[in-house]
C-alpha cells in the first residue's frame, strides 16, 4: 500500500520570502503521479502543481516549484515570493497510474502542513 | 457548472438520523470521487464512479454508507443511522475522463457533517 508522509504540521514564513514544504512517500510502483493541493479556510481543495514520476524535469507553476527525487521518494514544494494569500493547509498526494485491470486512481493524501504567511 | 458544487455546506444531525449529501460535478466529467476528511487530517477515499457505475467502494467504512450516481451526473452520499464518528467534512471531486493518466481531480467546497 502507498503512504504519504508530511512531517511538518505547521510552518511560518515572512511575506516575500521563500519556503519549502516536505513530503515523502512509499510505493513499489514505478509509474505514478504526485500532486500538491492547497486548502484555504474555505475548504475547497485547489490544485497547485502536478508531477509525473517518469519525467525527470521538476514541475514549475509560476511561484511554485517542486524538487522531485524519485530514488529518495521525496517530493518537496517550494513557494517563492510568498504572499498573504498563500496562507492555507497544503496537502501532498499520490496517485497510481491506471494499469491493467483498471485500478481506481484515487488520491492518497498526507496529513497536511499548515502554512502561515506573516506580513 | 463552473465548478464542483456540494450541498448542504453544513449539516447537523442527531445520532441515529439518516443524512444525504449531494454533489454536482463539473458538466461532462466522467469520473466522480467521494472523500472523507476528519478534523486535522488529509482526505481519505470513500468511493469512485465512472459515469453511473460505481466501480470502487472499497473506502466506505461500513454498510451504513451508500452512494449513487443514477444518471451519471449528480451523486448522493447517504449515511444511515449516523454515529458521532461520522462527523467529518465530505469532499466530492470530479475529473474529465476515465480515471487514469494522472488527471487532476477538481474538488467542491465539501459538506461539514456534525453528529450530535
Amino acid at each position: 500500500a502507498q503512504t504519504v508522509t508530511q512531517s511538518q504540521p505547521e510552518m511560518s514564513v515572512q511575506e516575500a520570502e521563500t519556503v519549502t514544504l516536505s513530503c515523502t512517500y512509499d510505493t513499489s510502483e514505478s509509474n505514478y503521479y504526485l500532486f500538491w493541493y492547497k486548502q484555504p479556510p474555505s475548504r475547497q481543495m485547489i490544485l497547485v502543481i502536478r508531477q509525473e514520476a517518469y519525467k525527470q524535469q521538476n514541475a514549475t507553476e509560476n511561484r511554485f516549484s517542486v524538487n522531485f527525487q524519485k530514488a529518495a521518494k521525496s517530493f518537496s514544494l517550494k513557494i517563492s515570493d510568498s504572499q498573504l494569500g498563500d496562507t492555507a493547509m497544503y496537502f501532498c498526494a499520490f496517485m497510481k497510474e491506471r494499469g491493467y485491470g483498471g485500478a481506481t486512481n484515487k488520491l492518497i493524501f498526507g496529513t497536511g502542513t499548515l502554512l502561515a504567511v506573516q506580513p | 457548472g463552473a465548478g464542483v458544487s456540494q450541498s448542504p455546506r453544513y449539516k447537523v444531525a442527531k445520532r441515529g438520523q439518516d443524512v444525504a449529501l449531494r454533489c454536482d460535478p463539473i458538466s461532462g466529467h466522467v469520473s466522480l470521487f467521494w472523500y472523507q476528511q476528519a478534523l486535522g487530517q488529509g482526505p481519505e477515499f470513500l468511493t469512485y464512479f465512472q459515469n453511473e457505475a460505481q466501480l470502487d467502494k472499497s473506502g466506505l467504512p461500513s454498510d451504513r454508507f451508500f452512494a449513487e450516481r443514477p444518471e451519471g451526473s449528480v451523486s448522493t452520499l447517504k449515511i444511515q443511522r449516523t454515529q458521532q464518528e461520522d462527523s467529518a467534512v465530505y469532499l466530492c471531486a470530479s475529473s474529465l475522463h476515465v480515471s487514469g493518466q494522472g488527471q487532476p481531480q477538481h474538488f467542491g467546497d465539501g459538506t461539514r457533517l456534525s453528529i450530535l
Side-chain angles (χ1 to χ4, degrees):
Chain A
Q2 291 78 27
T3 58
V4 177
T5 301
Q6 294 179 251
S7 58
Q8 306 154 313
E10 297 183 19
M11 292 196 71
S12 181
V13 63
Q14 293 296 123
E15 198 174 5
E17 293 189 346
T18 295
V19 64
T20 298
L21 308 183
S22 300
C23 172
T24 58
Y25 58 94
D26 188 23
T27 185
S28 57
E29 304 285 328
S30 57
N31 293 324
Y32 48 88
Y33 304 87
L34 296 164
F35 302 83
W36 279 97
Y37 277 89
K38 164 185 176 181
Q39 188 178 43
S42 66
R43 291 205 307 260
Q44 185 177 29
M45 284 281 193
I46 300 166
L47 177 66
V48 174
I49 201 163
R50 170 183 174 274
Q51 175 77 42
E52 300 170 6
Y54 56 86
K55 287 189 176 179
Q56 292 185 344
Q57 186 174 4
N58 289 324
T60 63
E61 194 70 41
N62 300 315
R63 299 183 294 108
F64 300 87
S65 62
V66 298
N67 183 5
F68 173 49
Q69 301 290 329
K70 191 173 183 179
K73 295 180 181 174
S74 171
F75 183 60
S76 60
L77 174 69
K78 186 172 82 171
I79 306 174
S80 303
D81 185 26
S82 297
Q83 300 176 1
L84 295 178
D86 295 334
T87 293
M89 183 72 84
Y90 286 80
F91 290 97
C92 177
F94 172 98
M95 179 191 287
K96 284 170 55 174
E97 182 175 56
R98 180 180 176 87
Y100 182 78
T104 302
N105 284 78
K106 60 188 177 187
L107 287 165
I108 298 169
F109 288 88
T111 52
T113 296
L114 180 60
L115 176 67
V117 180
Q118 307 292 343
Chain B
V4 178
S5 177
Q6 291 188 248
S7 62
R9 187 158 171 81
Y10 301 92
K11 175 69 178 177
V12 179
K14 292 182 179 178
R15 187 164 55 108
Q17 289 183 329
D18 298 347
V19 298
L21 313 180
R22 176 189 168 104
C23 172
D24 198 343
I26 294 172
S27 179
H29 276 201
V30 169
S31 296
L32 186 145
F33 301 80
W34 283 98
Y35 294 86
Q36 180 190 58
Q37 185 176 19
L39 187 64
Q41 300 295 317
E44 293 191 355
F45 170 78
L46 292 176
T47 188
Y48 162 65
F49 289 87
Q50 178 182 315
N51 294 309
E52 70 279 2
Q54 188 176 20
L55 298 186
D56 188 340
K57 50 184 181 179
S58 63
L60 296 177
S62 77
D63 59 6
R64 297 184 297 103
F65 286 72
F66 172 77
E68 60 182 4
R69 193 187 184 197
E71 297 179 358
S73 178
V74 171
S75 177
T76 303
L77 176 67
K78 297 179 180 178
I79 309 173
Q80 297 176 324
R81 304 180 305 281
T82 53
Q83 301 178 4
Q84 285 193 322
E85 60 262 32
D86 299 336
S87 295
V89 173
Y90 289 85
L91 295 170
C92 177
S94 68
S95 62
L96 181 58
H97 296 301
V98 170
S99 180
Q101 307 312 317
Q103 286 192 52
Q105 295 175 17
H106 303 270
F107 284 80
D109 289 347
T111 294
R112 182 180 297 280
L113 175 63
S114 298
I115 305 300
L116 304 178

